[in-house]
């Protein structure tokens, strides 16, 4: 199903998500789509909702939605985080990921983006009290 990331890289990516979420109330998910559907933006927002990412307490969930075969990448930051980091942050992350993907550095592009997003989440959404993991850290697929 996924020949762009090895099993080891995917496991390491899940660990990067855990690290990125540590000391923050924010949530990060990676979704890899292997379909050939045309309306990826619509599908990405559907995945965001189906993963219940819009239901975090502080509305600070971030989805990295990737279709490697169709060369499609979108980042969806819920309204809480988006208000803090603005569109320019997402544009920069998108550009950096795209530059890595062009070189076929898929794992590195995703890992760097996850960790940079985590840094911003820690800055704006530090943990107060218990750090409850509201969403799973695993990579989802369609």
């Amino acid at each position: 199903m996924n020949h762009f990331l090895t099993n080891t890289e995917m496991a390491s990516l899940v660990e990067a998500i855990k690290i990125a979420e540590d000391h923050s109330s924010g949530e990060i998910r990676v979704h890899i789509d292997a379909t050939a559907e045309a309306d990826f933006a619509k599908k990405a927002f559907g995945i965001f909702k189906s993963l219940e990412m819009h239901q975090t307490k502080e509305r600070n969930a971030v989805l990295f939605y990737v279709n490697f075969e169709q060369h499609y990448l979108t980042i969806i930051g819920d309204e809480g985080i988006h208000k803090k980091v603005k569109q320019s942050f997402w544009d920069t992350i998108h550009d950096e990921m795209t530059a890595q993907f062009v070189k076929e550095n898929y794992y590195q592009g995703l890992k760097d983006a996850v960790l940079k997003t985590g840094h911003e989440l820690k800055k704006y959404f530090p943990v107060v009290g218990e750090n409850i993991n509201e969403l799973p850290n695993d990579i989802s697929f369609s």
Side-chain angles (χ1 to χ4, degrees):
M1 178 178 198
N2 171 28
H3 55 273
F4 294 91
L5 297 169
T6 66
N7 287 339
T8 302
E9 288 172 335
M10 286 190 287
S12 180
L13 212 57
V14 170
E15 285 303 311
I17 291 169
K18 290 177 187 171
I19 291 166
E21 290 180 356
D22 196 28
H23 304 297
S24 165
S25 64
E27 296 290 336
I28 298 171
R29 297 292 309 264
V30 172
H31 182 84
I32 299 174
D33 182 1
T35 67
E37 291 181 26
D39 195 347
F40 295 114
K42 183 177 179 184
K43 185 162 184 196
F45 279 102
I47 294 292
F48 189 87
K49 287 193 176 204
S50 72
L51 294 174
E52 299 183 347
M53 296 186 72
H54 61 298
Q55 295 185 9
T56 60
K57 184 177 177 185
E58 296 187 69
R59 302 292 303 264
N60 57 0
V62 178
L63 174 66
F64 293 94
Y65 176 95
V66 184
N67 187 313
F68 294 116
E69 290 163 351
Q70 302 297 322
H71 306 286
Y72 184 84
L73 162 67
T74 193
I75 307 163
I76 301 173
D78 206 354
E79 60 187 40
I81 183 67
H82 186 70
K83 284 179 188 173
K84 302 286 187 185
V85 301
K86 311 292 185 225
Q87 187 62 42
S88 59
F89 174 76
W90 305 121
D91 292 344
T92 299
I93 294 289
H94 189 279
D95 290 348
E96 290 171 357
M97 291 178 76
T98 302
Q100 289 288 352
F101 289 0
V102 165
K103 297 181 213 168
E104 298 185 2
N105 295 332
Y106 306 111
Y107 165 73
Q108 198 63 52
L110 279 164
K111 181 181 176 189
D112 291 349
V114 164
L115 294 175
K116 285 180 182 181
T117 300
H119 178 76
E120 294 300 302
L121 287 168
K122 289 171 193 172
K123 190 185 323 181
Y124 296 112
F125 298 97
V127 173
V128 179
E130 186 181 357
N131 189 6
I132 298 169
N133 193 20
E134 294 181 80
L135 298 171
N137 297 328
D138 60 327
I139 298 168
S140 58
F141 298 90
S142 59

